[in-house]
Amino acid sequence: MIELKQLTKTYGSKQKATTALSGVNLTVGKGEIFGVIGHSGAGKSTLIRCINLLERPTTGEVWVGGTELTSLRKRELQRQRSKIGMIFQHFNLLSSATVYNNIAFPLTLIGTPKAEIAKKVNELLALVGLEEHRNKYPAQLSGGQKQRVGIARALASDPDVLLCDEATSALDPQTTDSILKLLLDINRKFNLTILLITHEMNVIQTICDRVAVIHQGNIVEQGPVSQVFLKPKHQVTREFINHDSFAEAGLKLANSVQHPQWARLVRITFLGAKTYESVLSQVVRQTNVNFAILHGTISTIKEVPYGQLTVSFEGDASDVDRTLALLRERDLDVEVIG
């Protein structure tokens, strides 16, 4: 659905040139929720604006729905842009227009008959839960309600793709959760492809299928959220998910306790249904190995549960090795860390 090929964006010229994007390659599948995460200044806003050519790339190709956008003439580009909805961090609503008219605005611009506009806007008001606010103005709405108007407006032209530019960063945590749930419901109801950028790992963890990490204009890591979240490779990724903090907490606890010389310190990762199964106790009963749980966490990645434990195993070295092998046979990720 979306494919970026060797995308580069440079501002300025010659000695004063600043590179915002450097050879970015990215593919987003139909119906996928894809997240791009990065610190401020990493290039993520430039990236999302290049997809609908609000920013024209310096070099590279932007493919959306099988069409290469950078090669299009103005009129054809405008037609293709109608298939790409966008919501913004600060909502970008018309302050002098009602909720109804803000949502209707894209349809009004292209001369849609009033009856069709009314039907569409009423459907969207119901979808985003704003039927009772149709005649209010943006100043009368909360931040979450304003973003719901922005989402409804972006959906007015029945787009194939929805771009989200830090759509929740101006909202409180509870409102953020409600907006993410709405986006997930829209994705599932319409099979809408969603690409979002954020600096919040919670957003990625809650709704995204895959994620790319951008740093200094380069994609430094990408893959399924579970893979990137649970086994990060790049230091920037590790910072976002506090991976090192988790590891350090387990090691700190381990080092604060006296253990036999043959003790083995291990991090075990559970994913899916196994998170709630007694796998660890079942295995150690077979191997007669003692264990102590030093640190642990449990959460979800897009409604899929996961858990991580830092465990100290004590016993004969061969029995500990057998324990780790049996855990791996149960499709658990087992990493010896000390």
Side-chain angles (χ1 to χ4, degrees), residues 1 28-33 160 187 191-194 209 302:
M1 175 53 67
V28 181
K30 172 67 177 174
E32 185 174 29
I33 303 182
D160 299 319
N187 165 258
N191 196 32
L192 184 67
T193 303
I194 299 177
D209 302 298
K302 199 178 181 183

Side-chain angles (χ1 to χ4, degrees), residues 93-327:
L93 302 181
L94 300 170
S95 60
S96 60
T98 63
V99 167
Y100 181 98
N101 288 331
N102 264 284
I103 297 172
F105 183 66
L107 300 175
T108 304
L109 281 179
I110 59 174
T112 306
K114 287 186 177 181
E116 290 183 28
I117 291 177
K119 181 175 183 296
K120 187 67 177 179
V121 173
N122 287 331
E123 290 173 354
L124 291 170
L125 284 167
L127 177 68
V128 300
L130 292 177
E131 293 164 293
E132 297 178 0
H133 303 279
R134 60 191 296 123
N135 295 320
K136 290 184 178 179
Y137 291 87
Q140 299 173 287
L141 304 177
S142 68
Q145 290 168 339
K146 290 176 184 177
Q147 195 57 283
R148 287 172 181 269
V149 177
I151 292 170
R153 180 184 59 188
L155 297 176
S157 58
D158 295 319
D160 299 319
V161 172
L162 181 63
L163 305 180
C164 304
D165 186 0
E166 296 276 13
T168 60
S169 63
L171 307 175
D172 62 74
Q174 185 175 357
T175 305
T176 291
D177 288 343
S178 71
I179 293 298
L180 294 179
K181 183 179 183 300
L182 175 60
L183 290 174
L184 188 57
D185 289 344
I186 289 169
N187 165 258
R188 289 172 172 170
K189 184 173 183 178
F190 301 109
N191 196 32
L192 184 67
T193 303
I194 299 177
L195 187 145
L196 60 87
I197 64 167
T198 184
H199 62 272
E200 301 170 293
M201 196 65 202
N202 174 64
V203 173
I204 301 294
Q205 185 180 344
T206 301
I207 67 168
C208 291
D209 302 298
R210 290 192 300 134
V211 60
V213 182
I214 189 168
H215 178 60
Q216 296 180 346
N218 296 282
I219 301 297
V220 296
E221 186 167 359
Q222 63 177 303
V225 174
S226 59
Q227 174 186 312
V228 173
F229 187 85
L230 297 175
K231 294 186 73 67
K233 296 177 182 178
H234 196 276
Q235 181 57 35
V236 172
T237 314
R238 298 168 75 93
E239 291 170 2
F240 273 115
I241 63 178
N242 294 319
H243 182 274
D244 291 334
S245 298
F246 179 89
E248 287 170 8
L251 286 169
K252 184 177 181 180
L253 283 168
N255 292 332
S256 67
V257 179
Q258 288 287 348
H259 295 284
Q261 187 176 358
W262 55 85
R264 198 89 56 84
L265 191 63
V266 175
R267 180 161 52 241
I268 306 171
T269 300
F270 304 77
L271 188 64
K274 287 185 173 62
T275 305
Y276 302 115
E277 295 175 1
S278 56
V279 178
L280 183 57
S281 60
Q282 292 172 21
V283 167
V284 296
R285 279 200 296 268
Q286 296 180 51
T287 60
N288 200 32
V289 166
N290 294 321
F291 72 95
I293 296 175
L294 305 178
H295 190 237
T297 185
I298 186 169
S299 189
T300 58
I301 297 174
K302 199 178 181 183
E303 301 174 340
V304 176
Y306 79 91
Q308 284 190 319
L309 296 177
T310 301
V311 181
S312 173
F313 288 107
E314 300 173 8
D316 183 81
S318 62
D319 289 336
V320 173
D321 287 339
R322 180 167 172 252
T323 301
L324 303 187
L326 287 172
L327 289 170

